[in-house]
């Protein structure tokens, strides 16, 4: 399996991150700090992909826009496969859940490194980490 | 990488009370405090009713100094938005008890203040007094109602004592007088309506950014239930009567509630009083939707069985090695499938920083790391509150002025009473004098009338003497009259004889 080597440079990350903050685009999830469950991972991946798509459409600088689109093209196939699973998981289907998750899990295991690389690229741009606030919470579970 | 830990927040708004169970040293009190503090951040008013026998309530004044505990906590939750330890604004409420009042009390303005308060005597109901003397006799009930009815609003303990010395002297042997009225009045704890020391629960609740701590320091142990019961009743009434905004919820914290809630191993000493208080507490729990909620911690659920079952909004289960206790607490939850068998088994050996929490309508959840309380909590080796205060802040306020002010209030009333009594005596004296004068006048008038009659008679006789008759004629006339009378009598006797014959 050929690993993707396409990564954003530091300068590009700063630029994209700045635009994301200006436009208030976020990849945030209050419920977890880092995804470990398959379902959470799929959801975050799809969310991050959509976030980058929206961001690329709203960037005026052509070079940067093309760069993001080029980057997204590498993950397009994976996104399409995982999107099916995500839409099924979002629906109110209880029968056959385990089969769907097993299938999704297989996809994720096969593409583990690719997904982690993708997260590493997206997190510095749009991830909003929710810090623990003692005024609001009483503990963790 | 931080593990997959999710932040847990308290369910707000509250709809019921919260109960915390666990063995000694399982951290039930500090977990209860953590939850209460989280509610405080959401705008809930906190009233700390009972600090247990160690008087832990005033420890709200100090920020937490548990560095290791916070460090361990940070390892689990990562970076925090704000600092953990916090300095809360605290008002320490103490009942006026002049005989044992110290010369100085802790105060660190503007954050911490100590307030001595009196109670408006007409606000005290017979059910409050029952918390001191147990079952109330009809005589005692009559006496208290009469005192409340007879005295004006501005009266205070001085008036009550005066009334007991005069009008209700015969009731002085009753326990209500010996155990309640006398000590309360002697220590200036009862006041009139306008006294500046009176506790105003409505204002206390409105100030929801300050934590009110009832500090039963130097108060006789027997009066503690009355002290707590009175404030509890007023809080509940305030909420029931909608005297404060519905948005302000009130939490009443009671530590070591088994002291007065337990149904097992009860002592005969003060049994009536604890029974009454228990009933009042369970009533509060039942009326929880009015906005006054109880936070209770207790060692064994068997001690309070059937009292609070099914009325809880939050149930905190801490380490509980006893099989029986676990059964009592978890059986119903297990039947309802709200707690799993594995969780029940885990409770037996749970670490001190963890807690199984069951919120209303939800399944039991294991909190893997409960946030330590943000204020200081008592731990072995700390000593009592005053010694800790001396070490940490050592700022004090003199109580001489307070003592003098309340004593002046009483003296003023004594002076008023004496003045009123003097005025009454004066009035009575005047009335007696008036009556005497009237009597004398009437007698004089009567005497004068008699004198005048005699005089006229004399005048008439004189006139006769002067005009016609001589002395001999008068005597002659009298003799004639007497003879005529004699004849008449003889006639009557003769007639009577004839009749009898």
């Amino acid at each position: 399996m050929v690993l993707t080597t396409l990564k954003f440079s530091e300068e590009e990350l700063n630029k994209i991150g700045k635009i994301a903050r200006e436009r208030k685009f976020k990849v945030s999830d209050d419920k977890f700090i880092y995804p470990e469950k398959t379902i959470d991972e799929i959801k975050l991946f799809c969310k991050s992909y959509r976030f980058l798509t929206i961001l690329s459409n709203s960037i005026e600088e052509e070079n940067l826009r093309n760069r993001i689109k080029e980057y997204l093209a590498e993950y397009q196939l994976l996104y399409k496969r995982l999107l099916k699973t995500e839409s099924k998981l979002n629906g109110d289907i209880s029968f056959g859940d385990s089969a769907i998750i097993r299938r999704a899990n297989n996809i994720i295991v096969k593409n583990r490194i690719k997904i982690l690389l993708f997260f590493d690229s997206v997190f510095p741009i749009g991830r909003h980490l929710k810090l623990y606030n003692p005024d609001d919470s009483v503990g963790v579970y | 990488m931080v593990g997959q830990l999710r932040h847990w927040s308290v369910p707000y708004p509250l709809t019921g009370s919260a109960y915390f169970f666990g063995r000694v040293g399982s951290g039930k009190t500090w977990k209860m405090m953590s939850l209460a503090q989280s509610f405080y951040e959401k705008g809930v008013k906190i009233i700390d009713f009972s600090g247990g026998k160690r008087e832990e309530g005033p420890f709200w004044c100090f920020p937490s100094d548990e560095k290791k505990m916070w460090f361990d906590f940070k390892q689990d939750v990562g970076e925090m938005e704000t600092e953990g330890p916090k300095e809360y604004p605290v008002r320490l409420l103490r009942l006026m008890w002049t005989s044992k009042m110290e010369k100085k009390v802790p105060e660190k303005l503007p954050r911490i203040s100590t307030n001595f308060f009196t109670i408006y005597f007409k606000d005290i109901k017979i059910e409050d007094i029952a918390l001191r003397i147990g079952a109330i006799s009809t005589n005692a009930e009559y006496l208290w109602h009469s005192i409340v009815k007879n005295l004006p609003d501005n009266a205070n303990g001085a008036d009550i004592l005066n009334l007991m010395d005069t009008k209700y002297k015969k009731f002085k042997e009753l326990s209500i007088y010996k155990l309640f009225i006398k000590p309360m009045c002697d220590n200036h704890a009862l006041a009139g309506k306008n006294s500046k020391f009176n506790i105003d629960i409505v204002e206390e609740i409105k100030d929801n950014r300050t934590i009110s701590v009832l500090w039963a320091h130097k108060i006789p142990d027997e009066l503690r239930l009355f002290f707590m019961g009175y404030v509890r009743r007023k809080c509940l009434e305030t909420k029931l009567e909608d005297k404060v905004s519905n948005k302000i919820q009130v939490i009443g914290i009671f530590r070591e509630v088994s002291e007065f809630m337990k149904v097992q191993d009860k002592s005969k000493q003060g049994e009536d009083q604890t029974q009454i208080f228990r009933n009042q507490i369970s009533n509060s729990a039942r009326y929880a939707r009015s906005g006054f909620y109880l936070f209770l911690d207790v060692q064994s659920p068997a001690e309070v069985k059937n009292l609070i079952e099914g009325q809880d909004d939050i149930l905190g289960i801490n380490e509980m090695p006893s099989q029986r206790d676990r059964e009592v607490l978890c059986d119903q939850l297990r039947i309802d499938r709200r707690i799993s068998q594995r969780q029940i088994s885990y409770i037996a050996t749970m670490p001190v920083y963890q807690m199984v929490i069951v919120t209303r309508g939800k399944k039991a959840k294991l909190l893997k790391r409960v946030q330590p309380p943000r204020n200081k909590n008592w731990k072995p080796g700390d000593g009592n509150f005053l010694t800790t205060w001396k070490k940490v802040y050592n700022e004090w306020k003199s109580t001489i002025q307070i003592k003098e002010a309340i004593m002046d209030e009483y003296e003023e009333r004594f002076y008023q009473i004496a003045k009123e009594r003097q005025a009454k005596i004066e009035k009575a004296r005047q009335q007696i004098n008036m009556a005497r004068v009237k009597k004398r006048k009437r007698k004089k008038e009567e005497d004068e009338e008699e004198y005048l009659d005699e005089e006229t008679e004399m005048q008439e006789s004189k006139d006769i003497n002067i005009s016609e008759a001589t002395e001999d004629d008068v005597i002659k006339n009298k003799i004639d009259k007497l003879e005529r009378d004699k004849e008449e009598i003889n006639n009557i006797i003769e007639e009577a004889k004839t009749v009898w014959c």
Side-chain angles (χ1 to χ4, degrees), chain B residues 58-75:
Chain B
F59 278 89
W60 276 98
C61 299
F62 312 115
S64 171
D65 58 352
E66 300 282 356
K67 285 179 185 168
K68 190 185 174 298
M69 214 184 258
W70 280 105
F71 177 78
D72 290 345
F73 184 65
K74 274 182 188 174
Q75 298 301 308

Side-chain angles (χ1 to χ4, degrees), chain A residues 138 140-141, chain B residues 8-11 18-20 31-32 35 39 312-318 333 338-339 343 347 350 354-360 362-368 370:
Chain A
V138 194
V140 284
Y141 64 99
Chain B
W8 187 81
S9 302
V10 287
Y19 307 102
F20 299 83
K31 284 167 200 161
M32 177 174 76
L35 261 72
F39 279 110
D312 51 306
D313 204 34
I314 300 171
L315 185 68
I317 309 167
N318 301 285
L333 291 170
R338 290 175 71 192
I339 194 164
Q343 278 173 323
I347 290 165
M350 200 162 48
Q354 292 189 349
M355 176 166 69
V356 171
I357 197 128
V358 192
T359 48
R360 187 182 176 179
K362 288 186 179 171
K363 288 186 176 179
K365 202 172 272 178
L366 173 70
L367 295 187
K368 286 179 183 163
V370 183

Side-chain angles (χ1 to χ4, degrees), chain B residues 10-125:
Chain B
V10 287
Y12 180 78
L14 266 171
T15 50
S17 300
Y19 307 102
F20 299 83
F21 299 97
R23 56 160 288 182
V24 183
S26 62
K28 54 188 181 304
T29 307
W30 71 255
K31 284 167 200 161
M32 177 174 76
M33 298 297 278
S34 282
L35 261 72
Q37 282 161 10
S38 190
F39 279 110
Y40 168 83
E41 299 299 339
K42 294 182 190 313
V44 177
K45 168 77 185 174
I46 306 279
I47 302 178
D48 197 326
F49 278 84
S50 157
K53 290 200 170 168
R54 287 191 295 257
E55 291 180 359
E56 291 172 35
F59 278 89
W60 276 98
C61 299
F62 312 115
S64 171
D65 58 352
E66 300 282 356
K67 285 179 185 168
K68 190 185 174 298
M69 214 184 258
W70 280 105
F71 177 78
D72 290 345
F73 184 65
K74 274 182 188 174
Q75 298 301 308
D76 277 354
V77 300
E79 279 300 305
M80 298 205 301
E81 273 185 33
T82 50
E83 276 297 303
K86 188 173 178 177
E87 293 183 332
Y88 289 98
V90 181
R91 193 179 296 117
L92 302 171
L93 298 171
R94 282 183 59 177
L95 184 67
M96 190 74 76
W97 206 258
T98 46
S99 66
K100 286 186 180 176
M101 196 185 276
E102 316 93 301
K103 284 178 185 167
K104 54 182 186 177
V105 286
E107 186 159 87
K108 190 177 188 294
L109 293 172
R111 196 169 66 84
I112 303 161
S113 60
T114 307
N115 286 11
F116 284 91
F117 71 87
T118 53
I119 298 171
Y120 174 40
F121 72 98
K122 288 194 178 182
D123 261 355
I124 298 173
K125 288 189 176 173

Side-chain angles (χ1 to χ4, degrees), chain A residues 30-37 40 116 128-141, chain B residues 1 4-10 35 38 41-42 73 77 79-82 366-369 371 374:
Chain A
D30 296 347
K31 285 179 183 170
F32 50 81
I33 296 162
Y34 204 92
E36 279 188 355
K37 280 185 183 173
D40 296 335
L116 286 176
H128 172 72
L129 254 182
K130 198 194 174 197
L131 295 177
Y132 181 86
N133 185 3
D135 290 346
D136 189 42
S137 308
V138 194
V140 284
Y141 64 99
Chain B
M1 188 174 83
Q4 191 188 340
L5 293 172
R6 296 171 189 207
H7 304 167
W8 187 81
S9 302
V10 287
L35 261 72
S38 190
E41 299 299 339
K42 294 182 190 313
F73 184 65
V77 300
E79 279 300 305
M80 298 205 301
E81 273 185 33
T82 50
L366 173 70
L367 295 187
K368 286 179 183 163
R369 179 71 77 166
Q371 180 188 301
R374 304 176 79 180

Side-chain angles (χ1 to χ4, degrees), chain A residues 16 19 23 25 49-62 64-70 72:
Chain A
I16 302 167
I19 293 163
R23 306 275 163 91
F25 292 147
Y49 189 91
R50 282 196 289 272
F51 158 74
L52 276 185
T53 319
I54 296 164
L55 198 64
S56 67
N57 291 335
S58 62
I59 288 174
E60 286 161 8
E61 202 181 324
E62 205 173 333
L64 198 61
R65 196 169 60 214
N66 290 337
R67 185 101 171 88
I68 297 172
K69 281 187 175 171
E70 201 182 327
L72 284 174

Side-chain angles (χ1 to χ4, degrees), chain B residues 136-281:
Chain B
I136 301 271
S137 65
T138 44
N139 270 348
E141 205 173 336
Y142 164 75
L143 176 65
W144 186 252
H145 285 313
S146 310
I147 287 170
V148 170
K149 202 177 167 186
N150 283 340
L151 289 176
D153 287 352
N154 63 341
N156 61 17
D159 295 72
I160 298 172
L161 283 178
N162 174 53
L163 210 61
M164 290 304 299
D165 284 335
T166 51
K167 199 175 174 183
Y168 299 123
K169 210 172 181 178
K170 60 182 177 182
F171 292 115
K172 271 183 139 180
E173 287 302 313
L174 290 178
S175 58
I176 189 175
Y177 174 73
K178 285 180 177 173
L179 301 176
F180 181 74
I181 296 173
K182 184 83 168 61
M184 289 288 278
C185 294
D186 284 349
N187 288 289
H188 310 92
L190 300 179
K193 197 175 186 180
N194 302 323
S195 174
K196 62 179 177 181
F197 295 106
N198 278 352
I199 186 167
D200 188 350
I201 297 289
V202 178
E203 287 303 313
E204 205 66 47
I205 291 174
K206 276 181 187 169
D207 184 11
N208 63 345
R209 294 298 82 205
T210 307
I211 285 154
S212 306
V213 179
L214 300 192
W215 187 18
H217 187 54
K218 301 269 181 189
I219 295 177
D221 281 349
E222 307 84 49
L223 266 168
R224 286 182 188 206
L225 285 184
F226 163 76
F227 178 55
M228 287 191 284
Y230 171 77
V231 180
R232 183 210 57 81
R233 183 179 62 77
K234 290 296 285 178
C235 284
L236 187 64
E237 277 180 9
T238 309
K239 289 304 292 178
L240 284 172
E241 290 164 13
D242 282 341
K243 285 180 183 169
V244 289
S245 162
N246 282 335
K247 285 175 187 170
I248 304 175
Q249 296 186 316
V250 185
I251 286 177
I253 295 176
F254 290 83
R255 289 185 194 77
E256 288 305 335
V257 86
S258 59
E259 201 180 318
F260 38 79
M261 291 291 274
K262 67 180 173 185
V263 286
Q264 291 179 343
D265 311 326
K266 285 188 287 187
S267 68
K268 293 271 178 196
Q269 186 78 24
E271 197 182 322
D272 282 354
Q273 289 91 321
T274 45
Q275 177 63 39
I276 294 163
F277 192 67
R278 225 173 111 223
N279 290 344
Q280 291 182 0
I281 287 278

